[in-house]
Amino acid sequence: MDGFTNKIIEGDCIDILGKAKEPFADLIFADPPFNIGYKYDKYHDKKEKEHYIDWTKKWMTACYNVLKPTGSFYIAIGDDYAANIRIIGEELGMFARNWIIWHYTFGQQTKDKFARAHTHIFYFVKDKKNFTFNDWAIRTPSDRQLIYNDKRANSVGKNPDDVWNCYSRVCGTFKERQGWHPCQMPELLLARIIAASSNPGDCVLDPFIGSGTTAAVAVKYGRKFFGTDISKTYVENATKRIQQLNKRSKNAYNAFNEMELDEIKRLFVEMGIDKTRLIENKKLLDIFTKQFSIRMNDSKTYDTEKIALVIKDFAESKK
Ligand SMILES: C[S@@+](CC[C@H](N)C(=O)[O-])C[C@H]1O[C@@H](n2cnc3c(N)ncnc32)[C@H](O)[C@@H]1O
C-alpha cells in the first residue's frame, strides 16, 4: 500500500497497519468496540472475555508499531476493560501520562443501578521526555479570573483537569450527528486531544474510524489523517463526510475559518458559562477573547463582537 496519508481504508486495522514499513503516526486516537453488545454494521460486539483481551493486545501492538518515537496514543474504553488497557499499554513500554474520565450528560438510563455516564480515556506516550503537549492550546480561564477577580490569577489560564465533563454525547438533534453510526465521538473532545498532542501537518491515526470524527477534526485543524474500519459502509460514509468538509466553501462568518469557529465553540463549552452572562459582560468576553487568541497562537487580532455572535448562534443551535 502506498502512503498512509489522508485515506480511510476498509479492513482489519491489525492487517492494514502491519503493512507499514515504518512508524508514520504522530498521534493515535483509538475508540474500539467496548465488548458491550453495541450493534455495528459488521462487527459482533460481544466476544468471550479472553478473546477480546487477546485481540486488544494485538491491535494495541499494531498501533504501537506505527507510532513515531515522539508520538502520543489515546484510547477510549468502558469500565470492563479499562484496567486491561492500562496494563497492556505499560507492557508495550509506553508511559501513561493521564487516566482521563470523560463524564457525559445523557448517559443511558438504568432501573436497578446507577446510570453509567463516563468513558475512560488513556493518554500514553512512547518517550516520557520527548512528546508534543501544547498546553497553550487547551488552557481555560480559571475561577480566579472568571469569578474571584483575583490578581494572583495566571493571565494565560489554567490547564484543564483529568475529568472532562464539558462535552455532551452526540445526541440525535445535534448538527454534527451523522445518523448512520451507533456511537459517534463529539468533535470538540477530539479537538482538545488533537490540539494538545499534535501540530499542524502531523499525521493523526484512528484505527477504528467509525463515522470519521477523528479524520474530520484532523482536516479542520490542518493535520493529516489515516483511518481504518472493518465496515465498508462506514468507510464509504466517513470518506464522504471528509470530502464534504473539503468541498465546503466559506462558512457564514467571514471573519473565521473552520478551525477558528470550532475553537470558539470548544472554549465556550469548556468555560461552562451561560451564554447571556458571557456575551453581556465585557470583562468576561475580554477574558474569552484573550484565551481564544492564546489558543490560536498567531498574531491576529480578534474582534470580540464577532466572537460573541458565534457564541450566541452556537448556544441557540444547541437548545
Ligand atoms: C466505537 S466505534 C468508533 C466510533 C468513532 N470513534 C466515531 O467517532 O465515529 C468502533 C468502530 O470499530 C470498527 N471495527 C471493529 N473491528 C475492527 C477492526 N478489526 N479493524 C478496524 N475497525 C474495526 C467498527 O466497525 C466501529 O465502527
Side-chain angles (χ1 to χ4, degrees):
M1 203 173 72
D2 66 326
F4 287 78
T5 305
N6 293 340
K7 308 180 179 146
I8 300 177
I9 304 286
E10 176 201 342
D12 174 39
C13 59
I14 302 170
D15 291 346
I16 296 171
L17 297 178
K19 292 186 181 137
K21 294 199 174 63
E22 57 190 28
F24 64 88
D26 297 282
L27 167 64
I28 303 177
F29 176 77
D31 172 26
F34 288 4
N35 211 28
I36 52 176
Y38 256 71
K39 297 260 173 292
Y40 293 107
D41 172 35
K42 221 182 145 188
Y43 175 85
H44 175 67
D45 189 31
K46 204 84 192 103
K47 303 271 198 291
E48 287 296 321
K49 195 172 174 174
E50 291 315 313
H51 174 98
Y52 181 82
I53 295 170
D54 188 50
W55 175 69
T56 300
K57 280 184 195 156
K58 288 183 178 141
W59 70 253
M60 280 180 67
T61 306
C63 287
Y64 177 85
N65 289 339
V66 298
L67 185 64
K68 288 187 187 168
T70 52
S72 305
F73 190 178
Y74 287 73
I75 305 172
I77 195 71
D79 286 357
D80 302 340
Y81 297 95
N84 301 86
I85 296 267
R86 165 80 201 221
I87 291 167
I88 298 167
E90 285 186 350
E91 281 171 357
L92 282 170
M94 291 192 290
F95 179 71
R97 298 206 75 227
N98 283 116
W99 183 326
I100 297 157
I101 298 294
W102 170 32
H103 168 236
Y104 41 72
T105 45
F106 302 113
Q108 277 175 356
Q109 290 309 301
T110 44
K111 280 192 180 147
D112 58 355
K113 62 175 184 175
F114 300 110
R116 191 177 284 186
H118 67 273
T119 290
H120 307 259
I121 301 178
F122 287 96
Y123 164 31
F124 294 105
V125 289
K126 254 191 175 174
D127 180 334
K128 80 174 176 190
K129 294 215 174 102
N130 196 3
F131 52 83
T132 297
F133 193 79
N134 301 319
D135 71 305
W136 48 267
I138 54 160
R139 282 178 169 272
T140 41
S142 63
D143 284 352
R144 282 188 175 181
Q145 289 169 279
L146 296 173
I147 302 171
Y148 304 114
N149 228 349
D150 186 334
K151 289 198 175 50
R152 291 169 301 170
N154 188 338
S155 64
V156 296
K158 67 175 180 73
N159 263 3
D161 58 35
D162 57 7
V163 177
W164 298 359
N165 51 19
C166 46
Y167 310 113
S168 143
R169 292 173 84 182
V170 181
C171 306
T173 52
F174 285 16
K175 253 196 189 160
E176 71 181 270
R177 172 102 177 167
Q178 300 299 307
W180 42 265
H181 195 278
C183 50
Q184 196 183 323
M185 277 275 165
E187 288 194 11
L188 295 183
L189 183 146
L190 257 307
R192 175 178 272 179
I193 292 173
I194 288 176
S197 292
S198 70
N199 292 309
D202 279 357
C203 180
V204 185
L205 161 69
D206 186 334
F208 305 103
I209 199 87
S211 69
T213 312
T214 306
V217 179
V219 168
K220 287 192 202 175
Y221 281 64
R223 274 65 166 171
K224 300 183 194 106
F225 67 89
F226 182 73
T228 60
D229 202 287
I230 201 85
S231 156
K232 184 168 189 273
T233 311
Y234 296 165
V235 168
E236 285 172 358
N237 287 342
T239 303
K240 277 189 210 141
R241 180 176 177 187
I242 306 306
Q243 284 165 349
Q244 271 157 11
L245 206 60
N246 285 329
K247 261 191 238 150
R248 258 197 297 191
S249 51
K250 283 200 143 176
N251 57 63
Y253 308 88
N254 289 331
F256 304 108
N257 63 33
E258 292 283 318
M259 177 182 171
E260 288 167 336
L261 276 184
D262 273 12
E263 284 294 278
I264 294 172
K265 294 173 192 170
R266 182 163 76 89
L267 183 55
F268 173 63
V269 304
E270 290 175 0
M271 272 173 67
I273 293 187
D274 172 71
K275 169 206 72 178
T276 311
R277 199 176 140 230
L278 176 58
I279 63 182
E280 288 178 0
N281 182 320
K282 184 170 175 338
K283 186 197 121 204
L284 292 180
L285 205 51
D286 283 347
I287 293 175
F288 187 102
T289 305
K290 180 172 179 216
Q291 194 75 52
F292 173 67
S293 307
I294 292 171
R295 285 186 175 196
M296 298 320 300
N297 200 24
D298 57 26
S299 52
K300 264 164 90 175
T301 307
Y302 291 97
D303 182 329
T304 308
E305 294 301 315
K306 289 183 178 148
I307 287 181
L309 187 65
V310 176
I311 294 171
K312 183 168 170 286
D313 289 353
F314 174 63
E316 283 169 7
S317 74
K318 288 266 167 201
K319 275 186 191 160

